[in-house]
PDB file of all heavy atoms in Angstrom:
ATOM      1  N   ASN A   1      -9.721   1.583  -9.042  1.00 88.00           N
ATOM      2  CA  ASN A   1      -9.459   0.875 -10.346  1.00 88.00           C
ATOM      3  C   ASN A   1      -8.367   1.606 -11.148  1.00 88.00           C
ATOM      4  O   ASN A   1      -8.670   1.915 -12.284  1.00 88.00           O
ATOM      5  CB  ASN A   1     -10.753   0.627 -11.145  1.00 88.00           C
ATOM      6  CG  ASN A   1     -10.504  -0.399 -12.142  1.00 88.00           C
ATOM      7  OD1 ASN A   1      -9.596  -1.224 -12.067  1.00 88.00           O
ATOM      8  ND2 ASN A   1     -11.361  -0.425 -13.203  1.00 88.00           N
ATOM      9  N   ALA A   2      -7.241   1.780 -10.617  1.00 83.00           N
ATOM     10  CA  ALA A   2      -6.189   2.532 -11.348  1.00 83.00           C
ATOM     11  C   ALA A   2      -4.875   2.210 -10.451  1.00 83.00           C
ATOM     12  O   ALA A   2      -4.942   1.705  -9.368  1.00 83.00           O
ATOM     13  CB  ALA A   2      -6.377   3.986 -11.397  1.00 83.00           C
ATOM     14  N   GLY A   3      -3.716   2.417 -11.081  1.00 85.00           N
ATOM     15  CA  GLY A   3      -2.390   2.213 -10.403  1.00 85.00           C
ATOM     16  C   GLY A   3      -2.326   0.795  -9.997  1.00 85.00           C
ATOM     17  O   GLY A   3      -2.555  -0.186 -10.805  1.00 85.00           O
ATOM     18  N   LYS A   4      -1.943   0.559  -8.769  1.00 90.00           N
ATOM     19  CA  LYS A   4      -1.648  -0.817  -8.274  1.00 90.00           C
ATOM     20  C   LYS A   4      -2.978  -1.406  -7.601  1.00 90.00           C
ATOM     21  O   LYS A   4      -2.822  -2.636  -7.255  1.00 90.00           O
ATOM     22  CB  LYS A   4      -0.579  -0.717  -7.217  1.00 90.00           C
ATOM     23  CG  LYS A   4       0.762  -0.192  -7.747  1.00 90.00           C
ATOM     24  CD  LYS A   4       1.895  -0.282  -6.794  1.00 90.00           C
ATOM     25  CE  LYS A   4       3.203   0.350  -7.357  1.00 90.00           C
ATOM     26  NZ  LYS A   4       3.445   0.111  -8.711  1.00 90.00           N
ATOM     27  N   GLY A   5      -4.079  -0.771  -7.572  1.00 93.00           N
ATOM     28  CA  GLY A   5      -5.254  -1.375  -7.032  1.00 93.00           C
ATOM     29  C   GLY A   5      -5.643  -2.600  -7.683  1.00 93.00           C
ATOM     30  O   GLY A   5      -5.944  -3.590  -7.033  1.00 93.00           O
ATOM     31  N   PRO A   6      -5.738  -2.677  -9.022  1.00 95.00           N
ATOM     32  CA  PRO A   6      -6.150  -3.960  -9.632  1.00 95.00           C
ATOM     33  C   PRO A   6      -5.239  -5.058  -9.357  1.00 95.00           C
ATOM     34  O   PRO A   6      -5.670  -6.183  -9.155  1.00 95.00           O
ATOM     35  CB  PRO A   6      -6.229  -3.673 -11.110  1.00 95.00           C
ATOM     36  CG  PRO A   6      -6.460  -2.031 -11.166  1.00 95.00           C
ATOM     37  CD  PRO A   6      -5.682  -1.569  -9.981  1.00 95.00           C
ATOM     38  N   ALA A   7      -3.971  -4.825  -9.324  1.00 95.00           N
ATOM     39  CA  ALA A   7      -2.952  -5.936  -9.069  1.00 95.00           C
ATOM     40  C   ALA A   7      -3.138  -6.442  -7.731  1.00 95.00           C
ATOM     41  O   ALA A   7      -3.020  -7.738  -7.449  1.00 95.00           O
ATOM     42  CB  ALA A   7      -1.572  -5.473  -9.346  1.00 95.00           C
ATOM     43  N   VAL A   8      -3.382  -5.553  -6.707  1.00 97.00           N
ATOM     44  CA  VAL A   8      -3.545  -6.000  -5.303  1.00 97.00           C
ATOM     45  C   VAL A   8      -4.858  -6.770  -5.268  1.00 97.00           C
ATOM     46  O   VAL A   8      -4.929  -7.903  -4.582  1.00 97.00           O
ATOM     47  CB  VAL A   8      -3.614  -4.829  -4.356  1.00 97.00           C
ATOM     48  CG1 VAL A   8      -4.138  -5.253  -3.000  1.00 97.00           C
ATOM     49  CG2 VAL A   8      -2.219  -4.154  -4.263  1.00 97.00           C
ATOM     50  N   PHE A   9      -5.966  -6.372  -5.974  1.00 98.00           N
ATOM     51  CA  PHE A   9      -7.157  -7.147  -5.930  1.00 98.00           C
ATOM     52  C   PHE A   9      -6.919  -8.529  -6.495  1.00 98.00           C
ATOM     53  O   PHE A   9      -7.410  -9.509  -5.910  1.00 98.00           O
ATOM     54  CB  PHE A   9      -8.188  -6.380  -6.769  1.00 98.00           C
ATOM     55  CG  PHE A   9      -9.451  -7.250  -7.058  1.00 98.00           C
ATOM     56  CD1 PHE A   9     -10.380  -7.491  -6.062  1.00 98.00           C
ATOM     57  CD2 PHE A   9      -9.647  -7.743  -8.358  1.00 98.00           C
ATOM     58  CE1 PHE A   9     -11.474  -8.257  -6.302  1.00 98.00           C
ATOM     59  CE2 PHE A   9     -10.786  -8.534  -8.595  1.00 98.00           C
ATOM     60  CZ  PHE A   9     -11.726  -8.767  -7.677  1.00 98.00           C
ATOM     61  N   THR A  10      -6.290  -8.669  -7.615  1.00 98.00           N
ATOM     62  CA  THR A  10      -6.089  -9.933  -8.296  1.00 98.00           C
ATOM     63  C   THR A  10      -5.233 -10.860  -7.379  1.00 98.00           C
ATOM     64  O   THR A  10      -5.613 -12.030  -7.319  1.00 98.00           O
ATOM     65  CB  THR A  10      -5.313  -9.693  -9.618  1.00 98.00           C
ATOM     66  OG1 THR A  10      -6.180  -8.945 -10.486  1.00 98.00           O
ATOM     67  CG2 THR A  10      -5.047 -11.074 -10.240  1.00 98.00           C
ATOM     68  N   ALA A  11      -4.225 -10.336  -6.675  1.00 98.00           N
ATOM     69  CA  ALA A  11      -3.423 -11.141  -5.807  1.00 98.00           C
ATOM     70  C   ALA A  11      -4.289 -11.699  -4.631  1.00 98.00           C
ATOM     71  O   ALA A  11      -4.220 -12.878  -4.216  1.00 98.00           O
ATOM     72  CB  ALA A  11      -2.198 -10.344  -5.285  1.00 98.00           C
ATOM     73  N   ALA A  12      -5.153 -10.783  -3.989  1.00 98.00           N
ATOM     74  CA  ALA A  12      -6.010 -11.196  -2.992  1.00 98.00           C
ATOM     75  C   ALA A  12      -7.052 -12.270  -3.395  1.00 98.00           C
ATOM     76  O   ALA A  12      -7.414 -13.188  -2.785  1.00 98.00           O
ATOM     77  CB  ALA A  12      -6.687 -10.035  -2.332  1.00 98.00           C
ATOM     78  N   GLN A  13      -7.613 -11.967  -4.609  1.00 98.00           N
ATOM     79  CA  GLN A  13      -8.655 -12.905  -5.136  1.00 98.00           C
ATOM     80  C   GLN A  13      -8.094 -14.276  -5.308  1.00 98.00           C
ATOM     81  O   GLN A  13      -8.728 -15.280  -5.035  1.00 98.00           O
ATOM     82  CB  GLN A  13      -9.162 -12.297  -6.485  1.00 98.00           C
ATOM     83  CG  GLN A  13     -10.249 -13.071  -7.102  1.00 98.00           C
ATOM     84  CD  GLN A  13     -10.665 -12.463  -8.449  1.00 98.00           C
ATOM     85  OE1 GLN A  13      -9.783 -12.201  -9.294  1.00 98.00           O
ATOM     86  NE2 GLN A  13     -12.019 -12.163  -8.635  1.00 98.00           N
ATOM     87  N   SER A  14      -6.897 -14.349  -5.869  1.00 98.00           N
ATOM     88  CA  SER A  14      -6.295 -15.676  -6.119  1.00 98.00           C
ATOM     89  C   SER A  14      -5.980 -16.402  -4.802  1.00 98.00           C
ATOM     90  O   SER A  14      -6.224 -17.665  -4.709  1.00 98.00           O
ATOM     91  CB  SER A  14      -4.981 -15.516  -6.897  1.00 98.00           C
ATOM     92  OG  SER A  14      -5.231 -14.996  -8.232  1.00 98.00           O
ATOM     93  N   ALA A  15      -5.446 -15.662  -3.859  1.00 98.00           N
ATOM     94  CA  ALA A  15      -5.216 -16.332  -2.552  1.00 98.00           C
ATOM     95  C   ALA A  15      -6.337 -16.836  -1.812  1.00 98.00           C
ATOM     96  O   ALA A  15      -6.404 -17.956  -1.297  1.00 98.00           O
ATOM     97  CB  ALA A  15      -4.428 -15.277  -1.633  1.00 98.00           C
ATOM     98  N   LEU A  16      -7.359 -16.077  -1.794  1.00 98.00           N
ATOM     99  CA  LEU A  16      -8.676 -16.468  -1.096  1.00 98.00           C
ATOM    100  C   LEU A  16      -9.323 -17.602  -1.786  1.00 98.00           C
ATOM    101  O   LEU A  16     -10.041 -18.419  -1.128  1.00 98.00           O
ATOM    102  CB  LEU A  16      -9.574 -15.295  -0.842  1.00 98.00           C
ATOM    103  CG  LEU A  16      -8.958 -14.065  -0.014  1.00 98.00           C
ATOM    104  CD1 LEU A  16     -10.000 -13.016   0.205  1.00 98.00           C
ATOM    105  CD2 LEU A  16      -8.470 -14.601   1.361  1.00 98.00           C
ATOM    106  N   ALA A  17      -9.259 -17.565  -3.093  1.00 98.00           N
ATOM    107  CA  ALA A  17      -9.899 -18.659  -3.810  1.00 98.00           C
ATOM    108  C   ALA A  17      -9.427 -20.055  -3.522  1.00 98.00           C
ATOM    109  O   ALA A  17     -10.100 -21.057  -3.669  1.00 98.00           O
ATOM    110  CB  ALA A  17      -9.738 -18.470  -5.366  1.00 98.00           C
ATOM    111  N   ARG A  18      -8.261 -20.055  -2.965  1.00 98.00           N
ATOM    112  CA  ARG A  18      -7.652 -21.420  -2.548  1.00 98.00           C
ATOM    113  C   ARG A  18      -8.388 -22.156  -1.510  1.00 98.00           C
ATOM    114  O   ARG A  18      -8.357 -23.350  -1.273  1.00 98.00           O
ATOM    115  CB  ARG A  18      -6.124 -21.233  -2.154  1.00 98.00           C
ATOM    116  CG  ARG A  18      -5.264 -20.702  -3.277  1.00 98.00           C
ATOM    117  CD  ARG A  18      -3.834 -20.510  -2.766  1.00 98.00           C
ATOM    118  NE  ARG A  18      -3.824 -19.519  -1.661  1.00 98.00           N
ATOM    119  CZ  ARG A  18      -2.664 -19.215  -0.943  1.00 98.00           C
ATOM    120  NH1 ARG A  18      -1.540 -19.782  -1.288  1.00 98.00           N
ATOM    121  NH2 ARG A  18      -2.755 -18.295  -0.035  1.00 98.00           N
ATOM    122  N   VAL A  19      -9.158 -21.275  -0.687  1.00 98.00           N
ATOM    123  CA  VAL A  19     -10.005 -21.921   0.407  1.00 98.00           C
ATOM    124  C   VAL A  19     -11.490 -21.714   0.127  1.00 98.00           C
ATOM    125  O   VAL A  19     -12.238 -21.823   1.068  1.00 98.00           O
ATOM    126  CB  VAL A  19      -9.549 -21.375   1.787  1.00 98.00           C
ATOM    127  CG1 VAL A  19      -8.138 -21.807   2.135  1.00 98.00           C
ATOM    128  CG2 VAL A  19      -9.724 -19.773   1.780  1.00 98.00           C
ATOM    129  N   GLY A  20     -11.824 -21.355  -1.054  1.00 98.00           N
ATOM    130  CA  GLY A  20     -13.217 -21.163  -1.479  1.00 98.00           C
ATOM    131  C   GLY A  20     -13.816 -19.854  -1.158  1.00 98.00           C
ATOM    132  O   GLY A  20     -15.082 -19.700  -1.363  1.00 98.00           O
ATOM    133  N   ILE A  21     -13.115 -18.855  -0.842  1.00 98.00           N
ATOM    134  CA  ILE A  21     -13.623 -17.529  -0.669  1.00 98.00           C
ATOM    135  C   ILE A  21     -13.579 -16.792  -1.997  1.00 98.00           C
ATOM    136  O   ILE A  21     -12.468 -16.626  -2.500  1.00 98.00           O
ATOM    137  CB  ILE A  21     -12.869 -16.731   0.428  1.00 98.00           C
ATOM    138  CG1 ILE A  21     -12.871 -17.416   1.770  1.00 98.00           C
ATOM    139  CG2 ILE A  21     -13.367 -15.267   0.589  1.00 98.00           C
ATOM    140  CD1 ILE A  21     -12.038 -16.789   2.789  1.00 98.00           C
ATOM    141  N   LYS A  22     -14.833 -16.475  -2.437  1.00 98.00           N
ATOM    142  CA  LYS A  22     -14.883 -15.886  -3.866  1.00 98.00           C
ATOM    143  C   LYS A  22     -14.955 -14.317  -3.672  1.00 98.00           C
ATOM    144  O   LYS A  22     -15.888 -13.833  -3.039  1.00 98.00           O
ATOM    145  CB  LYS A  22     -16.109 -16.364  -4.547  1.00 98.00           C
ATOM    146  CG  LYS A  22     -16.069 -17.927  -4.796  1.00 98.00           C
ATOM    147  CD  LYS A  22     -17.336 -18.412  -5.415  1.00 98.00           C
ATOM    148  CE  LYS A  22     -17.287 -19.906  -5.573  1.00 98.00           C
ATOM    149  NZ  LYS A  22     -18.577 -20.425  -6.133  1.00 98.00           N
ATOM    150  N   LEU A  23     -14.074 -13.702  -4.301  1.00 98.00           N
ATOM    151  CA  LEU A  23     -13.900 -12.211  -4.093  1.00 98.00           C
ATOM    152  C   LEU A  23     -14.281 -11.474  -5.424  1.00 98.00           C
ATOM    153  O   LEU A  23     -13.698 -11.719  -6.416  1.00 98.00           O
ATOM    154  CB  LEU A  23     -12.486 -11.831  -3.746  1.00 98.00           C
ATOM    155  CG  LEU A  23     -12.204 -10.517  -3.089  1.00 98.00           C
ATOM    156  CD1 LEU A  23     -12.936 -10.336  -1.752  1.00 98.00           C
ATOM    157  CD2 LEU A  23     -10.713 -10.332  -2.863  1.00 98.00           C
ATOM    158  N   GLY A  24     -15.303 -10.680  -5.256  1.00 98.00           N
ATOM    159  CA  GLY A  24     -15.732  -9.854  -6.411  1.00 98.00           C
ATOM    160  C   GLY A  24     -15.234  -8.399  -6.214  1.00 98.00           C
ATOM    161  O   GLY A  24     -14.697  -8.054  -5.154  1.00 98.00           O
ATOM    162  N   ALA A  25     -15.354  -7.580  -7.295  1.00 98.00           N
ATOM    163  CA  ALA A  25     -14.822  -6.242  -7.289  1.00 98.00           C
ATOM    164  C   ALA A  25     -15.865  -5.207  -7.035  1.00 98.00           C
ATOM    165  O   ALA A  25     -17.007  -5.293  -7.564  1.00 98.00           O
ATOM    166  CB  ALA A  25     -14.119  -6.023  -8.649  1.00 98.00           C
ATOM    167  N   ALA A  26     -15.418  -4.171  -6.239  1.00 98.00           N
ATOM    168  CA  ALA A  26     -16.303  -2.990  -6.106  1.00 98.00           C
ATOM    169  C   ALA A  26     -15.342  -1.775  -6.170  1.00 98.00           C
ATOM    170  O   ALA A  26     -14.654  -1.353  -5.229  1.00 98.00           O
ATOM    171  CB  ALA A  26     -16.915  -3.071  -4.668  1.00 98.00           C
ATOM    172  N   VAL A  27     -15.321  -1.171  -7.355  1.00 97.00           N
ATOM    173  CA  VAL A  27     -14.328  -0.183  -7.696  1.00 97.00           C
ATOM    174  C   VAL A  27     -14.941   1.321  -7.522  1.00 97.00           C
ATOM    175  O   VAL A  27     -16.149   1.511  -7.580  1.00 97.00           O
ATOM    176  CB  VAL A  27     -13.793  -0.289  -9.078  1.00 97.00           C
ATOM    177  CG1 VAL A  27     -13.176  -1.705  -9.241  1.00 97.00           C
ATOM    178  CG2 VAL A  27     -14.914  -0.119 -10.244  1.00 97.00           C
ATOM    179  N   HIS A  28     -14.030   2.263  -7.335  1.00 95.00           N
ATOM    180  CA  HIS A  28     -14.497   3.651  -7.155  1.00 95.00           C
ATOM    181  C   HIS A  28     -13.251   4.583  -7.442  1.00 95.00           C
ATOM    182  O   HIS A  28     -12.095   4.145  -7.469  1.00 95.00           O
ATOM    183  CB  HIS A  28     -14.810   3.849  -5.583  1.00 95.00           C
ATOM    184  CG  HIS A  28     -15.612   5.101  -5.414  1.00 95.00           C
ATOM    185  ND1 HIS A  28     -15.089   6.330  -5.179  1.00 95.00           N
ATOM    186  CD2 HIS A  28     -16.923   5.290  -5.196  1.00 95.00           C
ATOM    187  CE1 HIS A  28     -15.975   7.185  -5.052  1.00 95.00           C
ATOM    188  NE2 HIS A  28     -17.162   6.644  -5.032  1.00 95.00           N
ATOM    189  N   ALA A  29     -13.554   5.754  -7.789  1.00 89.00           N
ATOM    190  CA  ALA A  29     -12.599   6.814  -8.067  1.00 89.00           C
ATOM    191  C   ALA A  29     -11.782   7.153  -6.844  1.00 89.00           C
ATOM    192  O   ALA A  29     -12.204   7.073  -5.758  1.00 89.00           O
ATOM    193  CB  ALA A  29     -13.214   8.058  -8.629  1.00 89.00           C
ATOM    194  N   GLN A  30     -10.538   7.588  -6.964  1.00 86.00           N
ATOM    195  CA  GLN A  30      -9.721   7.993  -5.846  1.00 86.00           C
ATOM    196  C   GLN A  30     -10.266   9.089  -4.980  1.00 86.00           C
ATOM    197  O   GLN A  30     -10.227   9.006  -3.768  1.00 86.00           O
ATOM    198  CB  GLN A  30      -8.321   8.307  -6.337  1.00 86.00           C
ATOM    199  CG  GLN A  30      -7.390   8.817  -5.256  1.00 86.00           C
ATOM    200  CD  GLN A  30      -5.941   9.049  -5.637  1.00 86.00           C
ATOM    201  OE1 GLN A  30      -5.237   8.130  -5.820  1.00 86.00           O
ATOM    202  NE2 GLN A  30      -5.530  10.373  -5.791  1.00 86.00           N
ATOM    203  N   SER A  31     -10.789  10.154  -5.633  1.00 84.00           N
ATOM    204  CA  SER A  31     -11.139  11.359  -4.933  1.00 84.00           C
ATOM    205  C   SER A  31     -12.116  11.137  -3.890  1.00 84.00           C
ATOM    206  O   SER A  31     -12.169  11.791  -2.801  1.00 84.00           O
ATOM    207  CB  SER A  31     -11.579  12.450  -5.893  1.00 84.00           C
ATOM    208  OG  SER A  31     -12.734  12.002  -6.627  1.00 84.00           O
ATOM    209  N   GLY A  32     -13.153  10.233  -4.005  1.00 86.00           N
ATOM    210  CA  GLY A  32     -14.146  10.043  -3.009  1.00 86.00           C
ATOM    211  C   GLY A  32     -14.142   8.590  -2.397  1.00 86.00           C
ATOM    212  O   GLY A  32     -15.051   8.182  -1.714  1.00 86.00           O
ATOM    213  N   TYR A  33     -12.979   7.947  -2.538  1.00 93.00           N
ATOM    214  CA  TYR A  33     -12.891   6.544  -2.070  1.00 93.00           C
ATOM    215  C   TYR A  33     -13.092   6.341  -0.685  1.00 93.00           C
ATOM    216  O   TYR A  33     -13.824   5.530  -0.212  1.00 93.00           O
ATOM    217  CB  TYR A  33     -11.557   5.932  -2.634  1.00 93.00           C
ATOM    218  CG  TYR A  33     -11.380   4.521  -2.191  1.00 93.00           C
ATOM    219  CD1 TYR A  33     -12.031   3.479  -2.812  1.00 93.00           C
ATOM    220  CD2 TYR A  33     -10.562   4.165  -1.034  1.00 93.00           C
ATOM    221  CE1 TYR A  33     -11.776   2.125  -2.387  1.00 93.00           C
ATOM    222  CE2 TYR A  33     -10.310   2.845  -0.711  1.00 93.00           C
ATOM    223  CZ  TYR A  33     -11.022   1.902  -1.373  1.00 93.00           C
ATOM    224  OH  TYR A  33     -10.793   0.560  -0.975  1.00 93.00           O
ATOM    225  N   TYR A  34     -12.392   7.073   0.178  1.00 91.00           N
ATOM    226  CA  TYR A  34     -12.409   6.898   1.587  1.00 91.00           C
ATOM    227  C   TYR A  34     -13.699   7.529   2.223  1.00 91.00           C
ATOM    228  O   TYR A  34     -14.498   6.734   2.696  1.00 91.00           O
ATOM    229  CB  TYR A  34     -11.177   7.515   2.310  1.00 91.00           C
ATOM    230  CG  TYR A  34      -9.945   6.652   2.116  1.00 91.00           C
ATOM    231  CD1 TYR A  34      -8.881   7.195   1.357  1.00 91.00           C
ATOM    232  CD2 TYR A  34      -9.770   5.433   2.660  1.00 91.00           C
ATOM    233  CE1 TYR A  34      -7.693   6.454   1.141  1.00 91.00           C
ATOM    234  CE2 TYR A  34      -8.615   4.680   2.503  1.00 91.00           C
ATOM    235  CZ  TYR A  34      -7.575   5.159   1.710  1.00 91.00           C
ATOM    236  OH  TYR A  34      -6.459   4.446   1.577  1.00 91.00           O
ATOM    237  N   GLY A  35     -13.796   8.785   2.236  1.00 87.00           N
ATOM    238  CA  GLY A  35     -14.922   9.473   2.894  1.00 87.00           C
ATOM    239  C   GLY A  35     -16.246   9.214   2.270  1.00 87.00           C
ATOM    240  O   GLY A  35     -17.229   9.069   2.970  1.00 87.00           O
ATOM    241  N   GLY A  36     -16.261   9.014   0.868  1.00 90.00           N
ATOM    242  CA  GLY A  36     -17.555   8.947   0.220  1.00 90.00           C
ATOM    243  C   GLY A  36     -17.941   7.455  -0.203  1.00 90.00           C
ATOM    244  O   GLY A  36     -18.929   7.259  -0.763  1.00 90.00           O
ATOM    245  N   TYR A  37     -17.107   6.520   0.106  1.00 95.00           N
ATOM    246  CA  TYR A  37     -17.358   5.118  -0.294  1.00 95.00           C
ATOM    247  C   TYR A  37     -17.194   4.178   0.897  1.00 95.00           C
ATOM    248  O   TYR A  37     -18.080   3.747   1.515  1.00 95.00           O
ATOM    249  CB  TYR A  37     -16.529   4.739  -1.548  1.00 95.00           C
ATOM    250  CG  TYR A  37     -16.899   3.488  -2.226  1.00 95.00           C
ATOM    251  CD1 TYR A  37     -18.330   3.338  -2.597  1.00 95.00           C
ATOM    252  CD2 TYR A  37     -16.030   2.470  -2.587  1.00 95.00           C
ATOM    253  CE1 TYR A  37     -18.598   2.243  -3.412  1.00 95.00           C
ATOM    254  CE2 TYR A  37     -16.386   1.337  -3.327  1.00 95.00           C
ATOM    255  CZ  TYR A  37     -17.736   1.258  -3.719  1.00 95.00           C
ATOM    256  OH  TYR A  37     -18.043   0.111  -4.393  1.00 95.00           O
ATOM    257  N   ILE A  38     -15.894   3.717   1.154  1.00 97.00           N
ATOM    258  CA  ILE A  38     -15.666   2.729   2.273  1.00 97.00           C
ATOM    259  C   ILE A  38     -15.903   3.440   3.654  1.00 97.00           C
ATOM    260  O   ILE A  38     -16.085   2.743   4.615  1.00 97.00           O
ATOM    261  CB  ILE A  38     -14.315   2.083   2.214  1.00 97.00           C
ATOM    262  CG1 ILE A  38     -13.210   3.135   2.516  1.00 97.00           C
ATOM    263  CG2 ILE A  38     -14.126   1.436   0.776  1.00 97.00           C
ATOM    264  CD1 ILE A  38     -11.854   2.395   2.694  1.00 97.00           C
ATOM    265  N   GLY A  39     -15.941   4.804   3.667  1.00 94.00           N
ATOM    266  CA  GLY A  39     -16.185   5.472   4.900  1.00 94.00           C
ATOM    267  C   GLY A  39     -17.755   5.677   5.207  1.00 94.00           C
ATOM    268  O   GLY A  39     -18.100   6.367   6.119  1.00 94.00           O
ATOM    269  N   LYS A  40     -18.586   5.117   4.307  1.00 95.00           N
ATOM    270  CA  LYS A  40     -19.999   5.273   4.502  1.00 95.00           C
ATOM    271  C   LYS A  40     -20.639   3.957   4.851  1.00 95.00           C
ATOM    272  O   LYS A  40     -20.734   3.124   3.899  1.00 95.00           O
ATOM    273  CB  LYS A  40     -20.662   5.916   3.259  1.00 95.00           C
ATOM    274  CG  LYS A  40     -20.404   7.371   3.018  1.00 95.00           C
ATOM    275  CD  LYS A  40     -21.269   7.943   1.974  1.00 95.00           C
ATOM    276  CE  LYS A  40     -20.995   9.451   1.792  1.00 95.00           C
ATOM    277  NZ  LYS A  40     -21.528  10.199   3.002  1.00 95.00           N
ATOM    278  N   PRO A  41     -21.010   3.731   6.104  1.00 96.00           N
ATOM    279  CA  PRO A  41     -21.460   2.318   6.493  1.00 96.00           C
ATOM    280  C   PRO A  41     -22.627   1.836   5.626  1.00 96.00           C
ATOM    281  O   PRO A  41     -22.717   0.627   5.368  1.00 96.00           O
ATOM    282  CB  PRO A  41     -21.821   2.587   7.959  1.00 96.00           C
ATOM    283  CG  PRO A  41     -20.998   3.699   8.389  1.00 96.00           C
ATOM    284  CD  PRO A  41     -20.848   4.576   7.182  1.00 96.00           C
ATOM    285  N   GLU A  42     -23.503   2.750   5.273  1.00 97.00           N
ATOM    286  CA  GLU A  42     -24.652   2.362   4.560  1.00 97.00           C
ATOM    287  C   GLU A  42     -24.262   1.808   3.137  1.00 97.00           C
ATOM    288  O   GLU A  42     -24.970   0.936   2.577  1.00 97.00           O
ATOM    289  CB  GLU A  42     -25.661   3.458   4.456  1.00 97.00           C
ATOM    290  CG  GLU A  42     -25.294   4.737   3.686  1.00 97.00           C
ATOM    291  CD  GLU A  42     -24.512   5.641   4.553  1.00 97.00           C
ATOM    292  OE1 GLU A  42     -24.055   5.313   5.676  1.00 97.00           O
ATOM    293  OE2 GLU A  42     -24.315   6.860   4.109  1.00 97.00           O
ATOM    294  N   THR A  43     -23.279   2.445   2.620  1.00 97.00           N
ATOM    295  CA  THR A  43     -22.780   2.047   1.236  1.00 97.00           C
ATOM    296  C   THR A  43     -22.091   0.718   1.314  1.00 97.00           C
ATOM    297  O   THR A  43     -22.329  -0.188   0.538  1.00 97.00           O
ATOM    298  CB  THR A  43     -21.869   3.106   0.616  1.00 97.00           C
ATOM    299  OG1 THR A  43     -22.506   4.319   0.513  1.00 97.00           O
ATOM    300  CG2 THR A  43     -21.298   2.668  -0.675  1.00 97.00           C
ATOM    301  N   VAL A  44     -21.300   0.500   2.350  1.00 98.00           N
ATOM    302  CA  VAL A  44     -20.587  -0.793   2.566  1.00 98.00           C
ATOM    303  C   VAL A  44     -21.559  -1.931   2.632  1.00 98.00           C
ATOM    304  O   VAL A  44     -21.378  -2.897   2.020  1.00 98.00           O
ATOM    305  CB  VAL A  44     -19.696  -0.642   3.822  1.00 98.00           C
ATOM    306  CG1 VAL A  44     -19.167  -2.082   4.201  1.00 98.00           C
ATOM    307  CG2 VAL A  44     -18.578   0.221   3.641  1.00 98.00           C
ATOM    308  N   LYS A  45     -22.652  -1.657   3.344  1.00 97.00           N
ATOM    309  CA  LYS A  45     -23.581  -2.741   3.505  1.00 97.00           C
ATOM    310  C   LYS A  45     -24.446  -3.044   2.271  1.00 97.00           C
ATOM    311  O   LYS A  45     -24.713  -4.070   1.851  1.00 97.00           O
ATOM    312  CB  LYS A  45     -24.567  -2.456   4.716  1.00 97.00           C
ATOM    313  CG  LYS A  45     -23.962  -2.626   6.084  1.00 97.00           C
ATOM    314  CD  LYS A  45     -24.934  -2.757   7.170  1.00 97.00           C
ATOM    315  CE  LYS A  45     -25.683  -4.109   7.069  1.00 97.00           C
ATOM    316  NZ  LYS A  45     -26.625  -4.228   8.305  1.00 97.00           N
ATOM    317  N   SER A  46     -24.906  -1.901   1.597  1.00 97.00           N
ATOM    318  CA  SER A  46     -25.705  -2.074   0.446  1.00 97.00           C
ATOM    319  C   SER A  46     -24.957  -2.671  -0.807  1.00 97.00           C
ATOM    320  O   SER A  46     -25.469  -3.398  -1.548  1.00 97.00           O
ATOM    321  CB  SER A  46     -26.275  -0.749   0.066  1.00 97.00           C
ATOM    322  OG  SER A  46     -25.295   0.200  -0.340  1.00 97.00           O
ATOM    323  N   VAL A  47     -23.668  -2.336  -0.882  1.00 98.00           N
ATOM    324  CA  VAL A  47     -22.769  -2.829  -1.988  1.00 98.00           C
ATOM    325  C   VAL A  47     -22.349  -4.311  -1.637  1.00 98.00           C
ATOM    326  O   VAL A  47     -22.027  -5.094  -2.501  1.00 98.00           O
ATOM    327  CB  VAL A  47     -21.617  -1.938  -2.260  1.00 98.00           C
ATOM    328  CG1 VAL A  47     -20.688  -2.510  -3.326  1.00 98.00           C
ATOM    329  CG2 VAL A  47     -22.219  -0.595  -2.762  1.00 98.00           C
ATOM    330  N   GLY A  48     -22.272  -4.567  -0.323  1.00 98.00           N
ATOM    331  CA  GLY A  48     -21.810  -5.929   0.052  1.00 98.00           C
ATOM    332  C   GLY A  48     -20.282  -5.934   0.133  1.00 98.00           C
ATOM    333  O   GLY A  48     -19.601  -6.934  -0.142  1.00 98.00           O
TER     334      GLY A  48
END
């Protein structure tokens, strides 16, 4: 949730809404984003 991340999220959210796909936000700090967030399968599932 910094830099260009929010703008990319908004662009994707608007595009997918055109076909009924509703996109919510799941934000994280840069330092642990890959290995500690999207790289943890249990977190991906629990957060949805």
Side-chain angles (χ1 to χ4, degrees):
N1 194 24
K4 300 189 185 318
V8 170
F9 168 74
T10 298
Q13 185 182 50
S14 298
L16 298 183
R18 298 177 299 174
V19 294
I21 299 175
K22 298 176 182 178
L23 198 60
V27 300
H28 198 275
Q30 175 173 285
S31 59
Y33 177 77
Y34 285 113
Y37 196 50
I38 69 169
K40 287 190 174 296
E42 63 277 13
T43 299
V44 168
K45 288 197 72 172
S46 65
V47 176

